[in-house]
Each structure stands twice: as C-alpha cells, then as structure tokens.
Amino acid sequence: MAAAPAPSAPLRRARQAWNLLHVDSGRALAQAEQAIAAARAAQDLPAEAWARLTRGFHRLYYATVPEAAAELERALRLFRRCGDRAGAVLAEATAARAMWRAGRVNDALARVLPLRDEGVRVLRHDQRGVLLNTIAGCYSAQGDSAQAFAYMYEALRDAGPSRGRGFDTVLHCNIAHELMQIGDCAQALRHVDAGLARCSALNNARLRSVLWINRIACLTELGRAEEGMVDVAAVLALPADASGRGPTAAGFETLALAALHAGRLALGAELVARAQAHGPAELPDDQLELGCAGALLALRRGDPAGAVARLQALHALAARDDVEGLSLRLRVQYFELLSRALEAAGDTAGALAALRRWQGLREAQSRLASQARYAAANLQTELLSLQHRLDDSVATRRRSERARAELAAINEQLSHKVAEVQALQAALRQQATQDPLTGLFNRRHLNDTLPTLFALAQREGQTMALAILDLDHFKQVNDRHGHAAGDRLLAAFGELLAGQTRRSDVACRYGGEEFCLLMPRTDAAGARRKVAALLRRWRSQRFAFDGAAVEGLSFSAGIADTALAPGSPDALLNAADTRLLAAKRAGRGRVEVAAGALSPS
C-alpha cells in the first residue's frame, strides 16, 4: 500500500491552529489567518478548509453567530470539494452548533444527529468530542438530560486530558451545566473545579470566564453566593475582546443574581443595568434570568409590587412546558422568586399557587435525574450494534493487516463505551429520588421537601400534618411466605397510598416497612380521619401467597402537626414517631395523635 503524501506546510499550520483552539485561542486565530493567506496563494483547498473551520469555531465565541455560521459554511464547501470526509463532518457539526447557539435547537439536532455514526468512524479524540458535545448540547437545550449526559460522558472519554487538547475542559463545564439543570449543584461544582484546574494550563480566558460563571451559579443555588463574589470580580476584570471574555455578554444576569443574594445591592443594580444595556435578550433562558435579576433587585429595594410586575410580565414564558431552549433550572428559580415576591406583596393565595408550581417543577427535576440513569441502557444498545458490525467485519474481510487494524479500533471503541456506561451508572445512581419498589418518593426526597413545606406552613399560618405509618407484623409475612411476598405487600401499600392521597400530599417510603405522609393545609384531626380511612382500606385487602390467604392486615400510625410541634421539621418528625411508638405499644392497628387515640374497626 502506497504511503500517504506528506501534508503541505499551509495544511500543517492550519491543523496546528485547530489543535490550539482551546489551548491558546489567540495563537489559534493568528495561525489560522496565516494559513488562509498561504493556502489561497498556493490554491491549497484542504489547508484553507481547516483554517476557515478554525476561524469559524473561534468566531462562535468572539464574534457573532451569523459571522461564525458564514465562515463554517464556507469551510464545509471547501471540505466537500477536496473530498475530506472527516473535515466535512466536523465542519457540519460545528455549523449545527452555530444554529443551536442561535436558538434553532431542533434544526441543529436534525442536522447533526445523522452525522453521528460516520463521525464516530472518521473522527478521533477532540474532534469526535466536538461532534458528540454538539449532539449533547442540543439534547440539553430540549430538556433531555438523559441523552445529554450520555453524549457528554462519551465525549469526555474520547477527549481526555492526554489527548483532548483542552476540549475536556469544555466538557467539564458542560457536564456541570447539565447537573445544575437536574438540581445537583454540589456535583456540578466538582466538575467546574476540575475544569478550572485544567484551565490553569491553558491560555483561554473566555473558557475560564464561562467556568467562573458556572461556579457562581452553583454557589448561588447552594446558598453560598458570598463565596462567588471573588469569581464575579474576576469575570468583570476580563476585557471584552478576544484577549479576555469576548465581546458577548458576560452572563451579567447570573452575576447580578449572585450579588443580590449575597446582599451586594449596589453591585447587583450595576450588573442588572449592564445586562439590560446589551438590549433585549434573544434566548428564553436569558430573558427569564434577566427578569429574575430585575425582580430580585426590586424586592431587595423594598418594592414587592415592582418585583411582581417584572415577574408577571414573563409568566406566560415561564409557565409553558414546550419552549425550545428554556431550562428547567431557571423555571424553578422563577417560581420560587415569584412566590417570595407575591408573599411580600401580601398575595398569600398567589404565593401558594406559585410555590406549588415550584414544587411540581422540582419534582420534574427529580424525574429527570432518575431518567438519566437509563441513558446507560441506550448506550448498551449501541454496544450491541457495534458488536454486530464487528462480527460482520470479521466474517467477511480477509485476515489482513487492514482487517486487524479495524478490529482493534472497534474493540477500543467498545471498551470506551463499556467504561462510559459504568461511569454514567455510578455518577447518576445516587440522583434518583423515587423508591423503585413502591413507586413513592424516597427518604432523600422527604429530607429535601419537608423543610420547604414546613416553612410555607409557618409563613401562611396554615397547619401541615405529618404521619408515620408502620406495617404491623411485617416480619412474620417475610418469615412465613418469603421476601417476595413482603415486597408484594410493600408495593400494594405504596399503590394504596398513591391512590388515596391528594396531589398536594407527599407520600414517601421512610425505610423498611415504614412510610411517611406529608399533608399540607391539614391539621392532626383531619390527618387522623384520612389515615383511619387508609387503615380501613388496608384491613380489607386480601392476598394469597403459595395458596395461603393473608388478610386482616393493619398498620400503626403516629400523627403530629405544625401546631402541636411548631419548633422545626425534626421536631415534627420526632413527635409523629413518638405517637407511632405509643400506637404499637397500645396493641397496634391504631392511629395515635398528641390529643388522643383512634382505633378504627
């Protein structure tokens, strides 16, 4: 087989420019400009194509999206003319990235997704990472975190620190952003810090600024906004040109929210003004975040009516579930702030409605976190497809050096995907908030939700009841009929709870055979009636295990409400737990509250 011709000097310079894009963005652009001049003089189409691809990618960060798109389409035409498929796939993926940046998310995904299989074959390392990251970004903008995580982690496998040429830093940044969307800001902060550590070896102020902005957002969400003020100052100190953060807006909305949460009113006002100075926000996320920043500023200035007015102007946008490119995280942020503003303005009913919408969106975040685990299953399907292609290749190709090289490449790809599946499963397993056996929420969700509902009950002057339910003689069922029978009872009880509670109630599996039920706007007496009805229904259930009938089941329950235990969420839990113990000691099959006991027949 003849050796491939050596690349020309302009082509070597153009490829060097691409390799420097994230390592040293300034040098990358300078080399690309030199390569374009040399390539045009020598009529070197491949060199000009790679140099224009680099310049187009650079313009995505340091110029306007239309300027970048025009340069990328020109590079694509050149790649097609010279028959460079790897370059053409990469140019088309980057052009799709420009469409995504312009808010045309669905069009971008429709353009880039058909390139995936060919791109996996012809691209390597950071180039493949660019393709997979573009697909991930489109899915992220559509709110499909499961697919976004799958492609991001796969891209990170391909573009690791040793061969990613700085692109792994971009991926840490994007993974952090996606983790914020599903509410896991602690894990997101770890990826941001990993990206900043890698950034110390790069000369890329723009990338560093985006990581800082993500860090500021994480710290604000975690209630640590004051810690982010150092990063706010660092972002503001960067020049607004290619030597710094670039001419585009520096996330002033995010910085303003951090400053206002940290109590820096003057700085927050200045940042809101700077965000507004860039003109009307084009993307839905920017519109919503800027509106929240302006509303929080009004609230901090003691103008709740003004804050409500700003937020209500965006209500039609925030309330929709089908807005392309609108993140769930910012919708959660919006309704939490709207509830606070309405409460400060004296509209308690409106505040409660907004808080309920906030709770529903938080539950949607939890579902996204749970669904993301199943992205690994999709990757395993891809593994099977790759394995079939490998088998066909082995069966049909001659045993030559070329066949062995292809076999080694596919095996390496399989190994990468197996490792990625394992990493993704480990990273997302802990994010689930639903108990898989009963379908109810788990204790982690209870720990997240109880303080919020407790605080709401106190602010409104309403009563919230909490009940702890323990299935009686559950161990006997396990011992006599086996654990499968016990699991059936738990699942049946979970179904009973889910079917007999209101949408505003929160039913959780507390642990083992214990369950917890939160009942907003309900006092202990009302809760006692509801739990007594549940006990009667449970007594009427009948099960058959291995031909033996099990019936007459019961549970013991302890109830407390925020009027009886007003001190704290823990005090409420402890009060209910104490009454549960009293119910069990009194003979089980009872519902105990602080004011007395009820034993339903």
Side-chain angles (χ1 to χ4, degrees):
M1 184 180 295
S8 65
L11 181 56
R12 287 198 302 272
R13 184 176 292 275
R15 288 184 178 277
Q16 288 170 0
W18 171 266
N19 293 340
L20 285 169
L21 257 175
H22 298 98
V23 176
D24 190 329
S25 55
R27 282 177 59 201
L29 180 61
Q31 291 213 18
E33 300 284 6
Q34 294 169 12
I36 290 172
R40 296 193 68 183
Q43 296 186 342
D44 188 337
L45 294 185
E48 185 178 356
W50 277 99
R52 289 193 181 278
L53 173 62
T54 302
R55 188 161 71 177
F57 203 106
H58 189 276
R59 284 178 176 175
L60 279 175
Y61 296 117
Y62 297 103
T64 65
V65 171
E67 288 175 297
E71 189 73 354
L72 292 167
E73 293 294 345
R74 189 168 183 180
L76 178 58
R77 290 194 296 271
L78 289 168
F79 279 123
R80 287 172 174 168
R81 284 177 59 190
C82 64
D84 185 339
R85 283 307 303 159
V89 169
L90 192 56
E92 192 145 17
T94 311
R97 184 183 181 89
M99 296 169 70
W100 156 38
R101 291 280 298 275
R104 296 168 56 198
V105 178
N106 293 334
D107 292 341
L109 185 60
R111 182 171 187 176
V112 72
L113 196 56
L115 302 172
R116 184 193 65 177
D117 290 348
E118 183 183 9
V120 168
R121 291 196 305 270
V122 302
L123 300 178
R124 290 180 61 78
H125 306 323
D126 63 309
Q127 296 175 11
R128 190 185 299 167
V130 169
L131 169 66
L132 297 178
N133 184 58
T134 299
I135 297 173
C138 292
Y139 278 124
S140 174
Q142 289 183 337
D144 190 344
S145 291
Q147 290 289 350
F149 272 121
Y151 282 100
M152 285 179 191
Y153 278 104
E154 176 64 12
L156 190 58
R157 294 286 305 174
D158 280 322
S162 63
R163 54 193 180 187
R165 300 188 178 98
F167 192 69
D168 57 311
T169 311
V170 175
L171 294 168
H172 279 299
C173 183
N174 291 349
I175 291 171
H177 176 270
E178 197 60 29
L179 286 165
M180 283 193 287
Q181 301 312 304
I182 62 173
D184 195 345
C185 290
Q187 183 66 15
L189 192 57
R190 296 187 185 97
H191 276 280
V192 169
D193 289 341
L196 286 169
R198 284 284 295 133
C199 231
S200 63
L202 310 178
N203 184 17
N204 191 329
R206 165 72 182 177
L207 182 52
R208 187 178 294 109
S209 74
V210 176
L211 283 161
W212 276 332
I213 292 169
N214 275 353
R215 178 178 165 82
I216 292 163
C218 285
L219 290 171
T220 303
E221 294 262 355
L222 291 169
R224 298 158 54 189
E226 182 59 36
E227 295 178 43
M229 292 301 98
V230 174
D231 296 330
V232 170
V235 173
L236 295 178
L238 290 172
D241 55 32
S243 69
R245 59 176 170 81
T248 56
F252 293 122
E253 307 87 0
T254 303
L255 308 189
L257 285 168
L260 292 169
H261 278 290
R264 309 287 186 90
L265 187 60
L267 177 58
E270 176 192 344
L271 290 167
V272 170
R274 292 180 70 171
Q276 292 170 338
H278 278 269
E282 295 182 2
L283 299 179
D285 268 10
D286 296 340
Q287 295 172 29
L288 203 58
E289 193 166 30
L290 179 56
C292 286
L296 184 57
L297 176 61
L299 204 57
R300 289 283 192 263
R301 285 174 167 171
D303 180 15
V308 170
R310 286 177 178 271
L311 293 170
Q312 291 289 10
L314 292 167
H315 192 273
L317 173 66
R320 289 179 58 187
D321 296 322
D322 59 347
V323 178
E324 183 177 349
L326 182 59
S327 79
L328 184 58
R329 178 180 72 89
L330 290 178
R331 294 177 68 202
V332 168
Q333 186 181 91
Y334 168 88
F335 281 102
E336 190 275 339
L337 183 57
L338 178 61
S339 175
R340 289 169 53 195
L342 288 168
E343 181 183 9
D347 186 353
T348 304
L352 177 60
L355 194 61
R356 285 175 175 163
R357 190 63 187 270
W358 167 87
Q359 183 182 357
L361 292 171
R362 283 297 302 270
E363 290 173 0
Q365 276 187 315
S366 297
R367 288 193 296 273
L368 275 179
S370 299
Q371 292 163 4
R373 293 179 303 161
Y374 300 107
N378 293 332
L379 287 179
Q380 287 173 329
T381 302
E382 290 184 24
L383 284 176
L384 183 60
S385 175
L386 283 172
Q387 185 64 57
H388 288 166
R389 293 207 299 270
L390 173 60
D391 293 341
D392 291 343
S393 176
V394 171
T396 57
R397 290 182 181 272
R398 295 175 298 170
R399 295 184 178 277
S400 63
E401 288 296 324
R402 181 179 178 183
R404 285 194 292 270
E406 289 179 355
L407 178 60
I410 294 175
N411 277 331
E412 181 184 4
Q413 192 177 37
L414 286 170
S415 298
H416 285 170
K417 285 187 175 290
V418 169
E420 194 281 331
V421 167
Q422 294 170 344
L424 183 60
Q425 288 173 330
L428 299 176
R429 192 176 296 114
Q430 63 181 4
Q431 295 167 9
T433 59
Q434 188 177 44
D435 176 58
L437 178 61
T438 63
L440 303 177
F441 289 115
N442 60 17
R443 187 160 184 170
R444 174 184 175 183
H445 184 77
L446 175 67
N447 293 340
D448 290 340
T449 305
L450 176 56
T452 300
L453 295 182
F454 187 93
L456 177 62
Q458 290 190 320
R459 287 201 304 270
E460 291 183 335
Q462 297 286 342
T463 305
M464 179 183 72
L466 182 150
I468 301 178
L469 293 70
D470 188 314
L471 301 187
D472 293 330
H473 307 298
F474 179 79
K475 185 175 184 301
Q476 293 179 11
V477 175
N478 271 342
D479 292 343
R480 292 175 183 173
H481 305 286
H483 289 282
D487 287 349
R488 278 185 56 194
L489 285 187
L490 292 173
F493 191 74
E495 184 177 353
L496 175 66
L497 277 184
Q500 298 298 319
T501 51
R502 303 170 302 177
R503 292 185 63 183
S504 58
D505 295 340
V506 179
C508 305
R509 185 178 177 190
Y510 196 51
E513 62 270 26
E514 285 191 334
F515 296 80
C516 186
L517 186 58
L518 302 182
M519 292 164 279
R521 302 176 75 96
T522 304
D523 61 13
R528 183 174 63 180
R529 289 191 295 271
K530 177 181 292 189
V531 175
L534 283 170
L535 181 51
R536 287 192 295 273
R537 288 182 178 273
W538 185 239
R539 286 186 186 278
S540 69
Q541 299 271 10
R542 187 178 187 276
F543 299 89
F545 301 128
D546 298 326
V550 175
E551 54 190 341
L553 298 167
S554 66
F555 61 78
S556 303
I559 294 175
D561 65 26
T562 50
L564 299 172
S568 68
D570 287 340
L572 185 63
L573 270 172
N574 290 336
D577 195 56
T578 298
R579 304 318 304 162
L580 169 64
L581 183 60
K584 294 174 75 70
R585 287 174 174 170
R588 296 185 172 85
R590 301 171 63 84
V591 180
E592 285 272 358
V593 297
L598 174 67
S599 300
S601 55

